[in-house]
Amino acid sequence: MSLNNYQIPPVANWQMFENLCRDIWAREWGDIYTQKNGRIGQPQNGVDVYGKCNNQLHAVQCKGKDNTYNTNGVTLKELKEEVEKANNFTPSISHFILATTAPNDATIQQHARELSKNYDFNIEVVGWDYILNLLSKYPEIIKDYYPHFNYNIQISTNKNIILVNYWYEKFFFNKGELGFYYNTSFLPNYAYNVGFNVNFINLIISFSNSFSAITCHFKEDEIDNKLFIMFETLNKLIYDLNNFINKTVNFNIANEMSHKFNLNYILFYVNEGNYSYHQLGHYIDYKKNIFRSIMYHLVKISNTIIYYTNFTYNTNFDHQYWAQDPEQNNKELPYFENFEIFYDDIDSIARYIYDQIANCSFEFISEITPSSSQDAF
């Protein structure tokens, strides 16, 4: 349930607003070392709070004023001035957020997007409405800054929302090295440079293993059948991914090369099988693109769960980006329209990938193995 459903005022003063922003974005970025920049009276180069997300530096400038705060909103002049200051911040940043206690303003947000074209970092303006949406995800912060607000009582007791929140907080929304974004998109998963994090695979498998234990407490009239189908599809995809990796990867070489280059992930070295030299290029390309497509489907199904939950239960869970290039420039938010999931098994992905290879030099072979069922775990 969003805090926007309640009349929650900004915190008492601008120093506290900076602290609030630090605490929120430390969790959003998954960086416990997120900190305020300098102290009162020191030049800050347009940055009040900074921290790292996906190995990139992010920054927040807080626009709050004592008593009246910023009720008139951020002006274009103020935005340009703060952005120009942030441009001189050292080391350079990749994302700049101007956070204000004023309401969201579509016009100034558009100006921010246009300004981003002129700088080497993304620019975003967020108002108090948006900050409340973030704050509603962290009851412990609410308790610190609004100790008299009994928010915990207002949290939904709907078991379907509790299930989604459990999955979202523990298995989906993790930032950093165990995060969906890092492992499905940011981690080298493009062209021939493909890798995977064993700990991430174990993490998502652990959710599949715990799913039945969680949902066995649901009564029949408490089950949201559409949501359960989505989660069952997600679980099937996770099992197919794990079996595909175990079937495809030559772990002897993969581990050797990962240790050689001191990598924290496993290089996706494909078992060559009995293919001749002239067939091998197509075969490796085929296998690695299946892997990338499974990762894409993980994001797509997860986003569909989030879209459906937000639409059905008026929640405000954030979605997950998928990036199509190593520089992370070409991003999209994939999901299944109308909440209709189209994933039968891994062969539906493999066949599609196979058909995209021009003049393929080997015959299509099913990727389904006897261990591709959930009973394997």
Side-chain angles (χ1 to χ4, degrees):
M1 182 179 293
S2 172
L3 285 179
N4 283 316
N5 294 327
Y6 307 95
Q7 293 295 322
I8 306 298
V11 285
N13 56 60
W14 64 266
Q15 293 99 330
M16 192 175 290
F17 181 50
E18 285 186 4
N19 292 339
L20 175 66
C21 288
R22 177 201 58 202
D23 291 346
I24 289 176
W25 269 282
R27 288 162 175 79
E28 288 293 292
W29 297 333
D31 181 8
I32 61 174
Y33 299 108
T34 296
Q35 57 189 290
K36 292 166 67 175
N37 181 30
R39 62 181 185 273
I40 297 174
Q42 288 186 317
Q44 295 176 308
N45 284 339
V47 171
D48 290 323
V49 175
Y50 65 93
K52 283 192 173 181
C53 180
N54 294 326
N55 294 320
Q56 294 181 322
L57 193 64
H58 293 236
V60 179
Q61 171 66 24
C62 307
K63 274 292 179 183
K65 301 175 183 178
D66 290 334
N67 298 325
T68 57
Y69 272 81
N70 202 12
T71 53
N72 293 324
V74 175
T75 65
L76 179 57
K77 180 175 181 292
E78 285 178 317
L79 175 61
K80 288 181 176 179
E81 288 174 352
E82 297 300 338
V83 168
E84 192 55 38
K85 291 177 189 176
N87 193 41
N88 296 318
F89 188 78
T90 304
S92 58
I93 60 177
S94 63
H95 188 196
F96 174 75
I97 300 170
L98 183 60
T100 172
T101 53
N104 290 339
D105 185 331
T107 301
I108 202 69
Q109 289 170 332
Q110 180 179 345
H111 286 310
R113 291 192 294 271
E114 292 171 351
L115 272 178
S116 296
K117 300 174 184 177
N118 303 325
Y119 292 87
D120 293 328
F121 52 87
N122 291 326
I123 302 165
E124 186 178 4
V125 178
V126 300
W128 186 242
D129 321 51
Y130 181 89
I131 293 170
L132 283 181
N133 280 336
L134 298 182
L135 182 58
S136 64
K137 297 191 295 186
Y138 306 110
E140 70 279 11
I141 302 182
I142 299 171
K143 190 178 298 183
D144 288 341
Y145 289 88
Y146 298 96
H148 303 298
F149 180 62
N150 198 6
Y151 180 64
N152 286 333
I153 293 178
Q154 309 295 338
I155 295 175
S156 174
T157 57
N158 185 295
K159 287 187 177 180
N160 295 286
I161 300 178
I162 293 173
L163 170 64
V164 174
N165 188 68
Y166 171 76
W167 159 74
Y168 182 87
E169 293 290 342
K170 292 185 178 296
F171 303 96
F172 178 76
F173 199 69
N174 283 307
K175 297 282 188 174
E177 290 189 3
L178 284 181
F180 253 65
Y181 181 69
Y182 181 79
N183 286 279
T184 59
S185 185
F186 183 80
L187 192 72
N189 289 329
Y190 52 90
Y192 283 91
N193 192 8
V194 172
F196 62 94
N197 183 342
V198 174
N199 290 330
F200 170 74
I201 304 299
N202 290 336
L203 178 73
I204 58 179
I205 287 175
S206 69
F207 170 73
S208 293
N209 288 337
S210 63
F211 182 77
S212 296
I214 297 168
T215 56
C216 71
H217 300 291
F218 279 63
K219 298 177 182 177
E220 187 173 351
D221 60 352
E222 295 174 328
I223 294 175
D224 183 325
N225 288 316
K226 283 191 176 181
L227 189 62
F228 268 53
I229 290 172
M230 293 177 191
F231 271 119
E232 287 170 357
T233 304
L234 174 65
N235 289 337
K236 180 175 177 55
L237 188 63
I238 291 170
Y239 282 102
D240 283 350
L241 169 64
N242 185 64
N243 286 315
F244 174 74
I245 289 175
N246 289 331
K247 174 184 175 182
T248 303
V249 175
N250 184 328
F251 279 95
N252 290 330
I253 298 178
N255 287 320
E256 177 184 335
M257 296 304 291
S258 296
H259 289 306
K260 178 179 178 181
F261 294 109
N262 195 27
L263 302 175
N264 60 354
Y265 56 87
I266 300 295
L267 290 172
F268 198 94
Y269 270 81
V270 176
N271 275 315
E272 297 179 2
N274 297 319
Y275 294 100
S276 61
Y277 180 79
H278 77 280
Q279 294 174 314
L280 201 53
H282 279 164
Y283 180 71
I284 293 174
D285 192 42
Y286 163 74
K287 287 285 190 177
K288 291 192 172 184
N289 275 292
I290 292 175
F291 174 81
R292 291 189 69 243
S293 185
I294 293 175
M295 289 297 196
Y296 174 83
H297 276 73
L298 272 179
V299 177
K300 191 171 184 179
I301 291 173
S302 297
N303 277 339
T304 307
I305 291 172
I306 291 171
Y307 270 107
Y308 175 79
T309 306
N310 287 346
F311 177 81
T312 306
Y313 298 104
N314 195 31
T315 52
N316 61 327
F317 295 103
D318 287 334
H319 307 95
Q320 173 66 58
Y321 281 111
W322 164 266
Q324 300 181 72
D325 59 270
E327 287 78 26
Q328 313 300 294
N329 295 321
N330 191 7
K331 295 180 180 178
E332 60 176 289
L333 284 171
Y335 67 97
F336 290 98
E337 294 184 6
N338 302 318
F339 314 126
E340 297 294 332
I341 304 291
F342 297 102
Y343 175 74
D344 296 323
D345 51 47
I346 192 171
D347 271 359
S348 61
I349 290 177
R351 172 59 73 176
Y352 177 81
I353 299 296
Y354 180 86
D355 290 342
Q356 304 307 303
I357 302 175
N359 302 316
C360 190
S361 55
F362 62 92
E363 294 294 325
F364 176 81
I365 301 175
S366 173
E367 296 294 332
I368 298 175
T369 63
S371 62
S372 289
S373 69
Q374 296 188 14
D375 294 338
F377 297 86

